[in-house]
Amino acid sequence: MNRFVTLSVIICSVFAVFSFSGCTDEAAEAEMNRLKAENAVLQGQVDSLQKNLDSLTAYGDSVKKSLEKLDMHL
């Protein structure tokens, strides 16, 4: 009888762990999806800022060349 109770407790514990892990997996998956979406937004911002930086760098190089032509070195 004692073994039956112990075995029942172990089986119930295993089922409880699986049922809790199912909830945790859904919550973890939802968090991963949220973070992926946030990552995509941030990557878009980084790309946009990189384009602005490239544009400003090109403009700065152009201004520098113009000043060099006028013999007005920076």
Side-chain angles (χ1 to χ4, degrees):
M1 184 73 167
N2 195 14
R3 288 184 181 178
F4 178 75
V5 172
T6 304
L7 185 58
S8 297
V9 169
I10 290 172
I11 291 173
C12 289
S13 298
V14 169
F15 279 51
V17 167
F18 283 129
S19 67
F20 288 132
S21 69
C23 294
T24 304
D25 289 343
E26 288 178 14
E29 187 173 338
E31 179 66 8
M32 285 175 35
N33 289 335
R34 185 189 70 77
L35 291 172
K36 285 178 183 178
E38 184 178 345
N39 187 38
V41 169
L42 292 172
Q43 188 61 50
Q45 290 175 350
V46 167
D47 292 343
S48 176
L49 290 170
Q50 185 63 53
K51 287 179 184 177
N52 286 342
L53 177 61
D54 293 344
S55 177
L56 290 171
T57 300
Y59 178 73
D61 291 344
S62 174
V63 169
K64 185 177 180 180
K65 287 180 183 178
S66 295
L67 291 175
E68 286 174 351
K69 286 181 182 177
L70 296 172
D71 200 25
M72 299 176 68
H73 301 282
L74 292 177

